[in-house]
Amino acid sequence: MAQLPVKRSLDGETETNDKQQSGHSLTAKAVTWKSVLLCLILLPVNAFWLVQMEVVRYSAHPTTISLLFNTVFILLCLTVLNKIVSIYAPRCALHRGELLLIYTVLCIGSCVSGHDMLEVFVPMLTYSFKHATSANNWANLINPHLRKSLFISDELIYKGYYVGNDTIWRLKYIKAWLPVTIYWTLFVSLLLFVMLCLNSLLRKQWTDSERLTYPIVQLPLQITSEQAFQPKGIFFNRLFWMGFLVAGLIDQINSLNYYYPSIPTVFTPGFGESYLDIGRFFTSKPWNSIGWTPLSFYPFMIGLGMFMPLDFLFSCVFFYWFWKFEKVTSVALAFDQDPRFPYTENQAFGAYMSFCLYSVYISRAYLKQVLQRILGRSSSVDDSQEPMRYRSAAIGIGVGVLGLLLFAHTMGLPFYIGILFFVIYFALALAITRMRAELGTPIHDLHFTGPEMIMTRVAGTRAFSADSLTVFAIFFWFNRAYRSHPMPQQLEGFKLAEQSRTSYREWSRAMMVLGSVAVFVAFWAILYLMYHYGAEGKSKLSFGAESYNKLDGWLRSPELGKPPEFFAIAFLLQLLRVRFPWWPLHPLAFAVTSSWEINLVWGPLFLAWLFKSLILRYGGRGGFHKALPFFIGLMLGQFVVGSIWNIYGISVGLPTYQFWQ
């Protein structure tokens, strides 16, 4: 049986064991001309593939989950090719750190161009001008509040974007779009920079002191392990190939069924679907209020779940049905007279904020020493090997936030409102980053619960000027949901730097510079494909409609604020978990199960909990360790077969089976 480079903790969880981190000894360089060149080549390729999937074809959606199958597939291809190169031209081969750096940069690039960032934003740059009519009066109601230099208002420029059969590479289009993309690339780069500085301050505490397990990075670490291609490595393990074939064969059969319906499907109820909606079997009140309840089977999610704690897996399933029970109960007791009851978004916001505050609280001693270091006083923490000096990181946060505030202020947002807005945004980002590092949460979408939504619900839209509400609507693009959030990718990049024994500081500079390049590339990938295909036919225009329709409602029908509802539930769950070690329900599961994406993954997470429980019970930690290659094979098998079919569909212009919806 293969020896995987993992170590086992007392509860059966896994973490990499390539290096026991006490001092960060360096053995190789990750930022080289080869790795940077490959990043510059692959960023446009990855962006093109991603936009094809998520916008043009509206399928697969890799950036809606924590583990991005597109970057895993590219990493696997690079690793296999690199192995061949190392045999015939060893000097040209990449080191492990270079491969992992490329993977991390592509992950950040995928996030900024993904489903909840630029794919939402680019349609907004023209939408209010294109769809202004005499009926909605947007020409007088909304457009005067938009700073024209940050948007495209000329019909001669945006007509080709909507109609298609055109190219962005016309001089007049480039002159119009280039300043706009540069402005907004600078804004996104400031967001990334502040995130990087925050990660630099917290990396040592979360990684070295608390030893969080980083489940999401386990797959790329296994792929690039120095033992992977050796006789006892993962790619020579029979259980791995069994899992690979099981997942790959299921996807292969379902993909063939898409074109040849006579071929039976496996674990799918119908044509092109990967789930069965059991909610449709409940037709009478109050039971029909459970709504859409898909029962899905995703082998890769089962494999990913094996790296998560048992109590978290169980709690995800429990709280999923807890939210359903809330809906049924509210209808049965006629509480649904208030359409917002049971105030799911506010409960979820309270859960994320409580976890952020708790994470800061348990790190208070460390943060005190960090502050001492920033002020130049005696401190027990050493920042000489960190991604940034702590003083530099603190200054960077200040400068970055100030830049964001100035940007928002020029659009009409007062400084005091902007400060509250970005404090809430980065608090949510910290919570998401921490939960990814600690538990490997597969989803963290938090739909429609960004700072602008909370502020307008609590204070009321009457408390804000038309300019402020307009800025809230414009900033909707990076607060609509948080599935493709780049901040966890940055921290996981530092974990990969640790495991590959490469310099954190090199990685931080590379992630910052190449992250900005990725933003610019993503803009032009979206524009190129929309001018080619036509946004009206291929783009999900509701992204533009959502923000401006909401702004229209805010401006036409101002509302009074309401006190926040049920923020204390998550605090109670956190208190119970701290107070009673036996408490079985994880408070973070309450947070991540509150939004849309949990519908697709609760079934696989239940199976992961069941399999992991049985293996640990009857096989112990040794049996669990030996079984891991099978579940790694499940992940890679579905990713590889699904990616190949997806690329085939793009190349020949045909729809394909969606192995992830």
Side-chain angles (χ1 to χ4, degrees):
M1 189 63 62
Q3 280 297 116
L4 299 178
V6 297
K7 72 176 181 180
R8 296 161 299 193
S9 60
L10 293 178
D11 59 354
E13 308 309 322
T14 60
E15 61 183 77
T16 54
N17 192 32
D18 287 351
K19 178 174 69 66
Q20 300 297 320
Q21 173 76 6
S22 56
H24 188 59
S25 57
L26 307 181
T27 61
K29 289 178 65 68
V31 183
T32 64
W33 69 267
K34 291 180 292 185
S35 60
V36 172
L37 179 61
L38 281 171
C39 285
L40 295 175
I41 293 172
L42 290 174
L43 277 172
V45 174
N46 181 63
F48 179 88
W49 184 20
L50 197 64
V51 177
Q52 278 278 5
M53 284 190 284
E54 296 190 337
V55 181
V56 176
R57 300 164 67 85
Y58 204 66
S59 65
H61 307 295
T63 62
T64 60
I65 49 176
S66 299
L67 186 61
L68 311 179
F69 74 79
N70 59 309
T71 56
V72 171
F73 178 75
I74 293 174
L75 176 65
L76 179 63
C77 292
L78 277 178
T79 303
V80 173
L81 290 173
N82 189 63
K83 181 62 179 178
I84 298 173
V85 171
S86 67
I87 296 173
Y88 296 100
R91 292 185 178 181
C92 298
L94 299 171
H95 296 293
R96 190 188 193 194
E98 295 172 294
L99 289 169
L100 292 174
L101 176 69
I102 295 169
Y103 167 80
T104 300
V105 170
L106 292 179
C107 285
I108 295 172
S110 297
C111 288
V112 297
S113 64
H115 202 69
D116 295 320
M117 293 199 75
L118 292 185
E119 289 176 13
V120 177
F121 181 52
V122 174
M124 294 172 57
L125 292 173
T126 61
Y127 191 90
S128 66
F129 301 101
K130 169 69 166 60
H131 294 87
T133 64
S134 57
N136 60 34
N137 196 32
W138 283 4
N140 298 313
L141 182 68
I142 292 178
N143 293 344
H145 299 290
L146 300 177
R147 188 176 177 185
K148 297 299 188 294
S149 60
L150 299 177
F151 299 87
I152 300 295
S153 58
D154 188 349
E155 183 179 3
L156 295 177
I157 303 299
Y158 65 65
K159 182 178 180 180
Y161 173 89
Y162 287 96
V163 176
N165 294 319
D166 205 342
T167 177
I168 186 62
W169 305 117
R170 296 182 185 273
L171 184 59
K172 63 177 181 179
Y173 295 162
I174 294 175
K175 286 183 177 180
W177 279 103
L178 187 59
V180 174
T181 56
I182 290 175
Y183 289 146
W184 286 107
T185 296
L186 176 61
F187 178 83
V188 181
S189 297
L190 285 173
L191 284 176
L192 294 176
F193 179 63
V194 175
M195 295 174 195
L196 195 65
C197 293
L198 288 170
N199 280 325
S200 299
L201 291 179
L202 292 167
R203 188 215 66 81
K204 181 183 283 289
Q205 171 67 14
W206 288 355
T207 304
D208 298 349
S209 299
E210 297 185 40
R211 295 189 178 275
L212 303 183
T213 55
Y214 293 85
I216 300 298
V217 305
Q218 300 306 315
L219 184 57
L221 285 173
Q222 295 290 346
I223 291 172
T224 59
S225 170
E226 296 171 358
Q227 302 178 19
F229 290 95
Q230 295 178 6
K232 293 185 178 181
I234 184 70
F235 294 122
F236 284 82
N237 186 285
R238 292 182 180 179
L239 278 179
F240 167 80
W241 286 110
M242 286 175 61
F244 188 98
L245 289 175
V246 167
L249 188 60
I250 290 173
D251 264 24
Q252 182 70 15
I253 293 173
N254 291 336
S255 297
L256 290 173
N257 167 265
Y258 199 86
Y259 302 116
Y260 307 101
S262 60
I263 298 176
T265 59
V266 182
F267 297 116
T268 60
F271 182 74
E273 294 181 345
S274 55
Y275 58 83
L276 171 66
D277 180 16
I278 60 177
R280 61 189 176 93
F281 298 113
F282 299 90
T283 57
S284 59
K285 284 189 174 183
W287 304 107
N288 61 355
S289 59
I290 70 170
W292 186 56
T293 308
L295 182 61
S296 60
F297 179 78
Y298 298 116
F300 79 89
M301 188 59 65
I302 298 172
L304 182 58
M306 300 302 287
F307 292 95
M308 302 175 198
L310 273 174
D311 60 343
F312 178 70
L313 290 170
F314 171 78
S315 300
C316 281
V317 180
F318 175 87
F319 281 118
Y320 175 73
W321 287 102
F322 170 83
W323 290 107
K324 296 289 184 182
F325 176 75
E326 272 197 351
K327 293 180 180 179
V328 172
T329 304
S330 65
V331 172
L333 300 178
F335 290 157
D336 60 327
Q337 297 300 314
D338 182 347
R340 290 178 54 199
F341 192 87
Y343 314 117
T344 302
E345 293 84 1
N346 282 5
Q347 292 190 63
F349 177 78
Y352 277 78
M353 292 302 293
S354 68
F355 183 64
C356 175
L357 295 175
Y358 176 73
S359 299
V360 173
Y361 176 76
I362 61 176
S363 303
R364 62 192 184 280
Y366 165 78
L367 292 175
K368 182 180 179 180
Q369 294 301 316
V370 168
L371 181 60
Q372 293 286 90
R373 177 68 65 182
I374 291 171
L375 297 176
R377 300 173 183 172
S378 176
S379 173
S380 61
V381 297
D382 178 20
D383 61 358
S384 60
Q385 301 297 321
E386 293 305 299
M388 299 181 191
R389 292 282 187 179
Y390 292 152
R391 180 179 295 178
S392 299
I395 294 173
I397 292 171
V399 172
V401 171
L402 179 60
L404 294 170
L405 292 173
L406 288 172
F407 197 101
H409 184 69
T410 60
M411 297 175 64
L413 191 68
F415 279 109
Y416 71 96
I417 298 177
I419 291 172
L420 180 59
F421 179 95
F422 285 108
V423 166
I424 294 174
Y425 173 77
F426 285 113
L428 292 174
L430 276 174
I432 292 169
T433 303
R434 166 75 189 216
M435 65 173 61
R436 276 269 292 269
E438 181 177 347
L439 301 168
T441 49
I443 53 169
H444 37 74
D445 41 335
L446 202 64
H447 271 83
F448 309 117
T449 315
E452 80 288 353
M453 301 301 295
I454 297 298
M455 292 166 70
T456 53
R457 287 172 190 154
V458 174
T461 52
R462 290 188 179 184
F464 303 98
S465 67
D467 285 337
S468 296
L469 292 173
T470 302
V471 177
F472 284 167
I474 297 306
F475 285 174
F476 171 79
W477 65 272
F478 62 96
N479 292 285
R480 179 181 183 271
Y482 299 101
R483 291 170 293 189
S484 59
H485 206 295
M487 187 169 173
Q489 302 289 355
Q490 293 175 340
L491 184 64
E492 288 162 1
F494 291 144
K495 180 64 177 179
L496 295 176
E498 173 202 311
Q499 293 297 299
S500 59
R501 303 183 181 93
T502 49
S503 168
Y504 295 132
R505 203 152 292 180
E506 280 188 352
W507 278 65
S508 66
R509 294 166 185 162
M511 284 192 282
M512 188 64 255
V513 174
L514 293 173
S516 298
V517 173
V519 177
F520 188 78
V521 166
F523 263 111
W524 288 92
I526 296 171
L527 291 174
Y528 170 78
L529 288 169
M530 291 304 99
Y531 271 92
H532 179 72
Y533 289 105
E536 287 185 332
K538 292 294 185 180
S539 175
K540 191 165 179 60
L541 293 175
S542 63
F543 287 156
E546 283 176 344
S547 58
Y548 288 110
N549 286 340
K550 188 172 293 295
L551 176 59
D552 182 273
W554 286 344
L555 296 176
R556 293 183 191 276
S557 304
E559 296 180 350
L560 295 173
K562 295 181 180 179
E565 305 97 345
F566 301 120
F567 276 18
I569 292 180
F571 285 94
L572 175 62
L573 288 170
Q574 190 70 59
L575 178 63
L576 290 171
R577 183 171 177 83
V578 173
R579 188 77 173 175
F580 305 106
W582 52 264
W583 182 253
L585 301 178
H586 203 294
L588 271 183
F590 177 76
V592 302
T593 55
S594 62
S595 200
W596 184 86
E597 207 77 22
I598 186 62
N599 286 288
L600 292 173
V601 303
W602 74 270
L605 292 182
F606 171 74
L607 292 176
W609 169 79
L610 180 63
F611 294 154
K612 188 170 185 177
S613 299
L614 292 174
I615 294 172
L616 287 173
R617 181 177 180 85
Y618 296 105
R621 290 175 296 175
F624 175 74
H625 175 62
K626 293 177 181 178
L628 272 179
F630 176 81
F631 295 99
I632 294 172
L634 287 181
M635 289 190 281
L636 272 185
Q638 190 158 39
F639 285 174
V640 170
V641 175
S643 296
I644 291 174
W645 272 104
N646 191 277
I647 293 170
Y648 167 77
I650 292 172
S651 63
V652 299
L654 291 175
T656 55
Y657 168 75
Q658 299 183 40
F659 77 90
W660 166 248
Q661 299 189 13

